[in-house]
């Protein structure tokens, strides 16, 4: 493992990310992918030349970070295998939470101030729906049966609703390709917020449905998954 001599902590460092992906889409995709391991405090991805292709994800629990490092190592993310290790230094938001935050060198203060303000606004919006569930609980709370699920016979194609309008097919592919039998994602340009995901058979599509029912691509949008009508 890449994290050999770095002690486990709540923040993971990811490199070898696809540099062509826009920053906001990258952050949303990382949030969606890693929030299945626990509550996320912050996702940091900067597009400066020195930090391109890298990101940091801060969890509320060390165990969540450990699971993410172990299970997502070399996961193909936007067609490149992620290289993941524990961050060498504690994330600012984690340090502030436990009272150990120390300001950085003076030359970095202005840059950090602007970044922190932006992150604080995002954190405030995301903390309210996710704030009380603890490790792994952010998704479990919403894993209810979709009321429309009984309307269609189980088959190999899933119908996904309640997606944020900015969701891309690649973001969904990143989520669903973790499950056996994944074939493709189909989105309808004229109807944002919905998508179809195809698997090889209905057993494999059912497994993905159970695992991702109610999964939140962003804090306000728990996915509603049912079998597609044929």
């Amino acid at each position: 493992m890449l994290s050999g001599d770095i002690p486990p902590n709540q923040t993971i460092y990811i490199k070898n990310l696809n540099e062509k992906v826009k920053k906001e889409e990258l952050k949303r995709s990382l949030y969606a992918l890693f929030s299945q391991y626990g509550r996320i405090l912050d996702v940091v991805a900067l597009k400066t030349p020195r930090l391109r292709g890298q990101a940091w994800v801060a969890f509320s629990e060390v165990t969540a970070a450990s699971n993410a490092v172990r299970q997502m190592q070399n996961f193909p993310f936007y067609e490149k295998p992620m290289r993941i290790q524990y961050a060498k230094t504690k994330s600012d938001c984690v340090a502030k939470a436990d009272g150990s935050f120390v300001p950085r060198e003076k030359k970095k203060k202005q840059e950090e101030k602007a970044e922190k303000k932006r992150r604080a606004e995002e954190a405030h919006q995301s903390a309210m729906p996710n704030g009380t569930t603890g490790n792994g609980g952010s998704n479990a709370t919403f894993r209810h049966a979709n009321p429309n699920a009984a309307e269609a016979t189980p088959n190999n194609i899933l119908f996904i609703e309640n997606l944020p309008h900015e969701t891309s097919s690649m973001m969904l592919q990143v989520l669903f390709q973790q499950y056996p039998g994944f074939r493709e994602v189909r989105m309808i340009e004229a109807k944002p917020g919905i998508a179809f995901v195809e698997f090889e058979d209905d057993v494999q599509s059912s497994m993905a449905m159970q695992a991702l029912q109610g999964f939140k691509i962003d804090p306000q949008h728990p996915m509603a998954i049912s079998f597609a009508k044929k």
Side-chain angles (χ1 to χ4, degrees):
M1 193 186 335
L2 294 173
S3 50
D5 53 359
I6 302 172
N9 67 82
Q10 292 159 259
T11 305
I12 61 172
Y13 166 64
I14 308 161
K15 61 182 180 178
N16 198 42
L17 295 172
N18 192 324
E19 296 180 11
K20 294 178 182 176
V21 183
K22 291 181 180 178
K23 185 178 85 169
E24 288 310 312
E25 181 177 346
L26 180 68
K27 289 175 71 173
R28 281 195 298 266
S29 297
L30 288 170
Y31 179 92
L33 184 65
F34 283 101
S35 62
Q36 62 191 305
Y37 296 103
R39 185 162 69 90
I40 291 176
L41 298 176
D42 203 2
V43 176
V44 178
L46 302 174
K47 279 293 187 179
T48 59
R50 189 171 62 86
L51 297 176
R52 201 166 287 167
Q54 303 168 69
W56 289 261
V57 178
F59 291 92
S60 62
E61 304 285 342
V62 175
T63 50
S66 298
N67 286 336
V69 169
R70 185 172 62 251
Q71 296 183 40
M72 299 308 294
Q73 193 68 258
N74 297 316
F75 181 81
F77 185 71
Y78 289 94
E79 302 176 347
K80 292 186 74 173
M82 290 191 290
R83 306 284 186 241
I84 310 174
Q85 64 187 53
Y86 296 109
K88 290 180 181 176
T89 56
K90 190 182 294 186
S91 171
D92 287 351
C93 61
V94 173
K96 284 179 177 178
D98 66 15
S100 63
F101 178 71
V102 177
R104 316 221 176 189
E105 304 88 76
K106 200 170 183 179
K107 62 180 180 179
K108 294 182 181 177
K109 278 187 177 176
Q110 285 187 336
E111 179 184 338
E112 286 191 350
K113 192 174 180 182
E115 183 66 16
K116 281 177 200 169
K117 186 179 178 184
R118 186 161 60 249
R119 292 199 323 244
E121 288 168 357
E122 292 170 0
H124 179 69
Q125 291 172 3
S126 64
M128 294 181 71
N130 278 339
T132 57
T133 53
N135 183 24
S138 58
N139 306 323
T141 309
F142 292 92
R143 281 185 183 154
H144 53 274
N146 181 7
N148 297 323
E151 296 178 9
T153 307
N155 62 78
N156 66 319
I157 299 176
L158 298 176
F159 177 51
I160 321 296
E161 300 174 88
N162 198 38
L163 296 169
H165 285 190
E166 63 271 18
T167 304
S168 68
S169 60
M170 184 57 74
M171 287 167 71
L172 289 178
Q173 183 178 321
V174 161
L175 277 178
F176 282 92
Q177 72 181 4
Q178 301 174 81
Y179 301 94
F182 170 80
R183 280 185 177 170
E184 66 172 346
V185 170
R186 294 193 295 275
M187 302 195 78
I188 300 169
E189 225 171 274
K191 293 186 177 180
I194 65 171
F196 294 91
V197 180
E198 183 176 345
F199 284 83
E200 289 176 9
D201 59 44
D202 59 346
V203 174
Q204 292 167 329
S205 65
S206 297
M207 287 172 58
M209 180 196 289
Q210 288 173 17
L212 291 173
Q213 187 70 267
F215 184 87
K216 293 177 285 182
I217 283 187
D218 73 15
Q220 288 78 35
H221 292 84
M223 286 196 294
I225 309 176
S226 57
F227 292 109
K229 295 178 184 177
K230 287 194 168 184

